[in-house]
Amino acid sequence: MSAAHIHGAGAAYPQGLLFPPALMAEVRGRFLHVDRDHHGRERLYFDNAGGSLRLRAAVERFAQVDAVPDNTERIHDTARELQDVQARGADDLRMLLNARGGSVYAALTASGAMFDMVRAVAENVPGTNMVTTVLEHPSAYDAMERYARQTGRELRVAPSNPATGGVDVEAIARLIDDGTCVLNVIHASNISGAKLDLPAIVRAARAIRPDLYILVDAVQHAPHGLIDLQAAPVDGINIAPYKFFGCRGSGFAWLSDRAAALPHHKLSGKPAGYWDLGSTSPWQFAVMTEIVDYVCWIGTHSQGGGVAADAPRRERFAAGIESIELHERALLRRLLAGGGDGGPKGLRAQPGVQVFLDHDDLVRRDLIIAIGFDHLECTDAVREYAQRGITVYERSTASIYSRRMLDSFGIAGAVRVSPLHCHTPADVDRFLAATQDIARAHARAPEVAAP
């Protein structure tokens, strides 16, 4: 099987394709705390949609670069070295997104960057309404709600589709008209894992209003699938390196030339499209390069032998992220259907377990599953997993990060399960066995009729 038969043709493997054993071992060796937590206790970390396991190289590079005391805005050799680090990291972000030109904005968080982008558009672009979806992260939805109210505009919200766990293109398009000044849309749901069809959304939106500003939250999707802004030209997009095998305290956004030039908080002497305030941290850019280097490495070692080591960087990156996507799809299939090899049943077949927002087209899903138990609340279920050395996350209507999305699906609460590509089928089987055990322990005894 050649690499050409794999990369660029992920849909040809609707059930996914696992990493070869040798690559799997190397991948696991490049991450910290895959099998044990920072205290050395055995643990399975299946909450990678809330963070992610860290690359050793990213953590080491962070410490190395952040230890350098020099200011980048100087003329000596060390300052120039740090400037080169920043320039390469910015280029790598553009390459990751397949973006041309524009401005790179290094913020403390991706959430902060999203608020800043929404504010710049809302305060400076004419229009009578703003459009978003019910599945947005609060950093996008709340920013849209705040600035719609502040500027006296109508906020229009596209509903979710409980059958797919996503939002239909038509549901978004029907809300857009000549008065829409901005569309803000998530790339993939962080509850269901459903991938929204971003190119189709952009085409439909711009067919109605060609000059529409479009902002995208790609925090959830970026570590799991390829982003291509040439296929989906938008005006602003954010990612979070700490959910992409990197480090906390860093968020990145890219803005188109016209969006970057909108009035925003900046020092007056800086160029019109400059968005960083104060001295940026070179380590943010260094870690971005380590993340890209790692994905490119996978691209040259993955299923089918990979692409050539001297292939263009975007080609290697695309091959790597598509290999990650295929491996994760295979893990998703095993979680849902089991391994068919005498191991534990998949979630779909386990008595007492509900799989929410489930549908068969795995190509349209990132590696996230929302489940529930017939006789156990989601918060209590998370505690049961913890007692078995497994970390997952409860999505409850009591949480500001979950209520709006869960209400749209008619779900009161769910256990979110989000492994990463450094996990193996054996890890999945361990999780399935624990799930089966929890369901059995909390199965309601059959009622006995009174004599």
Side-chain angles (χ1 to χ4, degrees), residues 283-298:
W283 70 260
Q284 291 180 267
F285 297 87
V287 167
M288 175 55 61
T289 291
E290 290 297 335
I291 293 167
V292 170
D293 280 349
Y294 166 73
V295 175
C296 288
W297 168 78
I298 288 182

Side-chain angles (χ1 to χ4, degrees), residues 99-224:
R100 305 285 187 269
S103 293
V104 170
Y105 175 27
L108 287 175
T109 66
S111 294
M114 179 57 75
F115 261 85
D116 289 341
M117 290 191 293
V118 171
R119 176 182 182 176
V121 177
E123 290 186 340
N124 297 286
V125 177
T128 58
N129 66 80
M130 300 162 63
V131 176
T132 190
T133 85
V134 73
L135 294 188
E136 302 305 307
H137 186 274
S139 62
Y141 189 93
D142 293 0
M144 292 285 284
E145 187 176 55
R146 173 187 177 90
Y147 288 107
R149 183 174 61 251
Q150 185 170 309
T151 59
R153 293 188 175 100
E154 176 190 5
L155 180 63
R156 299 176 177 178
V157 182
S160 61
N161 181 338
T164 65
V167 180
D168 296 338
V169 176
E170 296 78 12
I172 296 171
R174 72 170 63 105
L175 300 180
I176 297 169
D177 58 28
D178 289 341
T180 307
C181 67
V182 60
L183 166 63
N184 198 336
V185 62
I186 199 166
H187 208 320
S189 168
N190 59 14
I191 287 185
S192 69
K195 294 184 280 190
L196 276 63
D197 189 344
L198 190 60
I201 290 169
V202 171
R203 287 194 301 270
R206 293 257 171 77
I208 300 166
R209 180 161 182 178
D211 62 345
L212 180 65
Y213 281 77
I214 301 176
L215 305 177
V216 175
D217 174 0
V219 170
Q220 177 55 55
H221 181 58
H224 306 288

Side-chain angles (χ1 to χ4, degrees), residues 116 120 123-124 259-267 271-276:
D116 289 341
E123 290 186 340
N124 297 286
L262 292 172
H264 58 278
H265 289 158
K266 76 175 190 68
L267 300 181
Y274 191 84
W275 275 61
D276 292 337

